[in-house]
Amino acid sequence: MMVKKYLAVAIMGLCVVSYAQAEVTLYGIAQKSIDYGNSATGERKFSMQDIGSRVGFKGVDQLDNGSSLLWKLESGLSTFGSREAWIGYENKDAGTLRFGKSKGAYNLLVEGFDLFESNTTLANTIQDATYRSRHESAVYYATPANLGGFAANLNYVIDSGKFSGTAADVEDQKGYDASVSYTHSKFAVYAGTMSLKNVARSGFQELKEQKGSKVTSYIVGAKLFPIEGLQIGAAYQNTKQDLTTGGDYKRDSAILMAQYEVGKWVPRVGYVYQGEGKLSSAGGQNLAKAGHFQIGTDYNLSKSSLLYVEGAVIQNKDQNAFSTSISDGLATTPKVISTGMILLF
């Protein structure tokens, strides 16, 4: 009997040793800002915001054949695993396959054009609340890194569980998104596409999330790196939303941005244009044109910390569901100045 007990303890010890040998990393980011902007009554107000602080754990377990098992759990300040929760398999020749909750390929491509740090971001504007950035259940594939600058990503969405919507019959989000890119020392080109069912804009009454609605988008863009420290980028996006009540909404949008690193300073400027959202059927309301201009700079305190200040003017926020760091009560054309600190660990 005692032998069995000792054997059981020994086996448990081996399991602990095996687990301890796997590479586990604790990481995170702390971000706080003080914002100053106009309210709905025209008055000015201050607000202190958390702009995406998070903490995560990620691990790599090297296999005998040279491949790796990967996993990540990333949480916001409120719910464990709220941002990412997936497991995956990586092979240097075949690429990476992962399963679980993460951002989609299309969303990650759009975020690559967003150089700003605050909640008043260009990515939030061009996305325009027409799709969710994170998928609860998805299969994600990324090509290997040794393809001479070429990269592709495919995300198949199989979300389980009903998501928040105004209609009782809202169903699971389904569909796919994908992106491709080619990066050179002097330029990079990008393209992405998305097709998601049972998801729609949450901020405009005619486009509330509803069963059977479908959003399809594509985006093409490029960046130039003419001299060291300077990057200039532009992208064009077309979005179409099929409605269950008949007809569809179509909208063109574009993003322009530039930044230049000068020592510890990184000044940048950007603009997003949203064309008119046109409804194909009669009797509905079109979405008005809108825009978002932003300018700002970072100051790098160290390799893992920085200060920033940014200013933004967003046209037509109310109808287009644009997100700002002091969005509660803001006027139709909010003007926001934001300053904050970011610390990586």
Side-chain angles (χ1 to χ4, degrees):
M1 191 68 178
M2 292 297 294
V3 173
K4 291 183 179 180
K5 289 183 178 180
Y6 287 133
L7 182 59
V9 172
I11 293 173
M12 291 176 64
L14 288 174
C15 292
V16 172
V17 171
S18 176
Y19 176 78
Q21 289 175 343
E23 178 185 334
V24 180
T25 302
L26 169 67
Y27 70 95
I29 181 171
Q31 304 183 86
K32 285 290 184 179
S33 71
I34 299 176
D35 305 309
Y36 179 64
N38 58 310
S39 68
T41 60
E43 300 174 350
R44 299 281 173 174
K45 66 174 185 177
F46 284 96
S47 176
M48 181 174 289
Q49 299 287 328
D50 181 272
I51 54 173
S53 296
R54 51 196 180 269
V55 64
F57 301 87
K58 57 185 177 180
V60 179
D61 193 7
Q62 300 294 336
L63 304 180
D64 293 339
N65 63 0
S67 301
S68 302
L69 297 179
L70 313 173
W71 61 272
K72 179 185 283 190
L73 285 172
E74 185 177 290
S75 309
L77 298 183
S78 57
T79 306
F80 186 73
S82 58
R83 297 177 62 88
E84 294 196 49
W86 53 261
I87 58 174
Y89 174 83
E90 182 181 56
N91 181 280
K92 65 178 181 179
D93 297 318
T96 302
L97 186 66
R98 67 182 192 226
F99 308 86
K101 180 178 182 177
S102 65
K103 289 190 174 183
Y106 192 95
N107 179 265
L108 291 173
L109 188 155
V110 173
E111 287 189 353
F113 281 85
D114 183 10
L115 301 173
F116 289 87
E117 311 290 356
S118 71
N119 275 348
T120 313
T121 58
L122 300 179
N124 281 342
T125 301
I126 197 168
Q127 289 169 3
D128 202 12
T130 52
Y131 51 88
R132 288 187 294 165
S133 61
R134 293 179 179 85
H135 307 294
E136 294 294 332
S137 301
V139 180
Y140 193 104
Y141 170 75
T143 54
N146 57 354
L147 298 181
F150 174 82
N153 302 273
L154 175 63
N155 189 53
Y156 181 68
V157 181
I158 48 175
D159 276 4
S160 59
K162 298 182 182 299
F163 58 88
S164 175
T166 57
D169 59 352
V170 172
E171 289 189 342
D172 301 343
Q173 183 173 313
K174 302 175 182 178
Y176 68 91
D177 57 275
S179 67
V180 294
S181 64
Y182 175 75
T183 303
H184 185 268
S185 60
K186 292 296 184 183
F187 68 91
V189 291
Y190 309 84
T193 185
M194 173 189 65
S195 178
L196 295 176
K197 189 177 181 180
N198 295 328
V199 64
R201 181 192 308 270
S202 59
F204 188 61
Q205 186 59 41
E206 293 191 45
L207 306 179
K208 293 285 187 179
E209 293 172 336
Q210 52 186 301
K211 178 180 178 180
S213 64
K214 182 179 181 181
V215 174
T216 56
S217 294
Y218 69 85
I219 187 169
V220 292
K223 288 183 179 179
L224 299 177
F225 315 107
I227 60 175
E228 183 177 357
L230 174 64
Q231 63 170 291
I232 304 169
Y236 164 80
Q237 178 180 250
N238 176 271
T239 301
K240 175 185 176 183
Q241 180 180 335
D242 296 321
L243 304 178
T244 57
T245 54
D248 57 60
Y249 269 95
K250 295 181 179 179
R251 166 172 267 187
D252 296 317
S253 54
I255 181 171
L256 303 171
M257 58 85 189
Q259 77 171 22
Y260 182 53
E261 299 182 28
V262 185
K264 293 187 175 183
W265 294 94
V266 189
R268 56 177 62 99
V269 63
Y271 179 73
V272 169
Y273 169 78
Q274 291 279 16
E276 183 180 19
K278 297 181 179 179
L279 178 64
S280 61
S281 60
Q285 180 183 356
N286 287 356
L287 291 171
K289 295 180 180 179
H292 176 170
F293 174 78
Q294 189 142 333
I295 189 169
T297 185
D298 292 349
Y299 179 77
N300 294 303
L301 299 172
S302 68
K303 291 183 178 180
S304 58
S305 61
L306 62 86
L307 296 172
Y308 74 85
V309 60
E310 297 171 359
V313 177
I314 305 175
Q315 299 172 313
N316 247 346
K317 169 193 171 291
D318 291 345
Q319 193 177 41
N320 294 277
F322 294 162
S323 174
T324 73
S325 55
I326 52 172
S327 57
D328 292 342
L330 281 178
T332 302
T333 304
K335 302 175 181 66
V336 182
I337 297 175
S338 178
T339 182
M341 175 181 289
I342 295 177
L343 175 63
L344 303 174
F345 63 88

